[in-house]
Amino acid sequence: MKIYIDGRYYDEKSAKISVFDHGLLYGDGVFEGIRAYNGRVFKLKEHIDRLFCSAKAILLEVPMSREDLGKAVVETCRRNRLKDGYVRLVLTRGKGTLGLNPNKCERPSIIIIAGKIQLYPEEYYRKGLEIVTVPTTRNLHSALNPAIKSLNYLNNILAKIEANQAGCEEAIMLNAEGYVAECTGDNIFLIQNRRIFTPPLAAGALYGITRGTVMDLARSAGLEVFESNLTRYDVFNADECFLTGTGAEIVPVVKVDGRVIGNGKPGSLTTTLTKSYHSLTNSTGEPIYA
Ligand code: PXG
């Protein structure tokens, strides 16, 4: 594997960053998880834009133009002969001192890893997922805004641990007000009477790129999409529920906190949206091999 660090490519063994990097010491940095399908990088522009937005929010200057960063992502895929896979793009504050002052960091570092994706078992898509609501609430947007895709994922990791302890793969995280925010690494959608609902960003959701894509697909299919505050009651009484994320794509949810959702099987609109999503991932994106 060839890993990109600050303009150079390294073998996996020699791809190293400093133990003084504030990405490690303080989680001071931002990242993106991107997928490649069929020799193309899916939604590359959207991921680069979101990285720049995350960086801006933490006053971290990206040491490259959007265009050059996009090219570096594609080039890293090419050097790894990637056709289908997963790209992790990381921007850290860089090497600093043992104090948290970011101004003491020399320069930001960019890391690009293009590798294999760890997929959910096929069974989850066929039968649907059972999830639970966990006690850890989503970070307050007045403290650490969940819209920032930062290297500080402890909030999500704690929720993931709680889900795993309850025997589940994913967790619904509520915000401090008790509204549904999102899952640990996925956005959440409900369908009620053919109308589609997803929490607004202000409820503590990441501006998910899959979320946006699914909203577009649903609207093009003539379905109404609403971004509204949702409670667990709304989830329990939905006709269909599914999660979206770059890794998971669209996963049906069939049980939440012991309540069966709909008829307990992946819903028909969920299945329709999944098909449109797959045809989009397989036919669009930034070509890796010109
Ligand atoms: N919410 C959170 C908190 C996320 O981290 C999503 C929603 C979905 O966003 P996209 O843009 O992917 O549709 C994410 C992204 C992992 C992993 O290893 C998960 C994500 C990103 C990177 C790695 O589980 N989810």
Side-chain angles (χ1 to χ4, degrees):
M1 195 193 280
K2 294 282 178 201
I3 294 159
Y4 174 104
I5 306 175
D6 299 329
R8 291 178 62 187
Y9 291 88
Y10 299 85
D11 289 330
E12 197 173 325
K13 272 194 184 147
S14 48
K16 292 191 173 120
I17 61 152
S18 168
V19 293
F20 292 97
D21 192 299
H22 279 207
L24 171 71
L25 291 177
Y26 299 109
D28 188 355
V30 295
F31 77 104
E32 281 298 319
I34 311 170
R35 265 178 92 162
Y37 295 91
N38 209 10
R40 294 189 192 91
V41 183
F42 188 60
K43 298 277 177 192
L44 179 61
K45 181 185 181 298
E46 287 79 355
H47 283 284
I48 299 284
D49 284 347
R50 186 170 67 185
L51 186 87
F52 271 79
C53 290
S54 294
K56 184 167 190 179
I58 68 164
L59 285 145
L60 177 54
E61 199 172 328
V62 187
M64 261 171 121
S65 69
R66 279 163 211 261
E67 202 192 337
D68 287 348
L69 188 54
K71 281 184 185 160
V73 168
V74 171
E75 176 65 18
T76 308
C77 290
R78 195 180 300 134
R79 291 200 185 211
N80 286 282
R81 296 190 175 79
L82 208 75
K83 194 164 173 271
D84 295 273
Y86 185 77
V87 181
R88 175 61 58 92
L89 170 57
V90 184
L91 171 67
T92 80
R93 189 76 67 181
K95 190 177 162 192
T97 63
L98 286 179
L100 60 82
N101 188 352
N103 297 327
K104 298 256 168 75
C105 295
E106 289 169 13
R107 76 191 80 84
S109 268
I110 296 177
I111 301 158
I112 309 171
I113 309 166
K116 283 207 172 62
I117 175 137
Q118 193 78 44
L119 296 170
Y120 269 158
E122 181 268 334
E123 185 189 335
Y124 293 178
Y125 297 90
R126 196 166 23 90
K127 294 187 180 163
L129 212 57
E130 174 177 355
I131 63 174
V132 284
T133 311
V134 291
T136 296
T137 57
R138 202 76 182 88
N139 282 328
L140 285 173
H141 49 71
S142 54
L144 175 56
N145 196 321
I148 303 168
K149 205 165 163 59
S150 84
L151 292 181
N152 204 312
Y153 250 49
L154 261 186
N155 184 227
N156 312 55
I157 289 164
L158 290 176
K160 185 85 168 181
I161 291 169
E162 289 161 356
N164 291 161
Q165 282 177 339
C168 290
E169 282 289 335
E170 254 300 357
I172 292 183
M173 299 183 77
L174 304 176
N175 63 24
E177 283 184 288
Y179 291 109
V180 174
E182 60 177 343
C183 292
T184 69
D186 302 297
N187 291 106
I188 186 165
F189 283 78
L190 304 179
I191 305 180
Q192 183 68 270
N193 293 325
R194 297 187 62 83
R195 293 158 78 203
I196 304 196
F197 299 89
T198 193
L201 290 200
L206 181 77
Y207 182 48
I209 287 160
T210 320
R211 173 184 180 273
T213 306
V214 166
M215 287 165 76
D216 289 346
L217 287 172
R219 284 180 177 135
S220 331
L223 298 162
E224 282 186 293
V225 184
F226 303 90
E227 292 178 78
S228 50
N229 270 331
L230 303 168
T231 65
R232 290 170 70 226
Y233 172 92
D234 299 314
V235 180
F236 301 153
N237 291 294
D239 299 330
E240 300 182 30
C241 174
F242 62 85
L243 313 181
T244 65
T246 297
E249 301 178 321
I250 300 174
V251 201
V253 172
V254 293
K255 208 176 201 186
V256 179
D257 298 334
R259 281 81 159 178
V260 172
I261 307 303
N263 62 5
K265 295 199 173 96
S268 62
L269 279 179
T270 304
T271 308
T272 307
L273 286 168
T274 303
K275 282 184 188 148
S276 336
Y277 187 74
H278 287 158
S279 64
L280 197 68
T281 57
N282 278 312
S283 61
T284 61
E286 192 64 34
I288 299 169
Y289 310 95

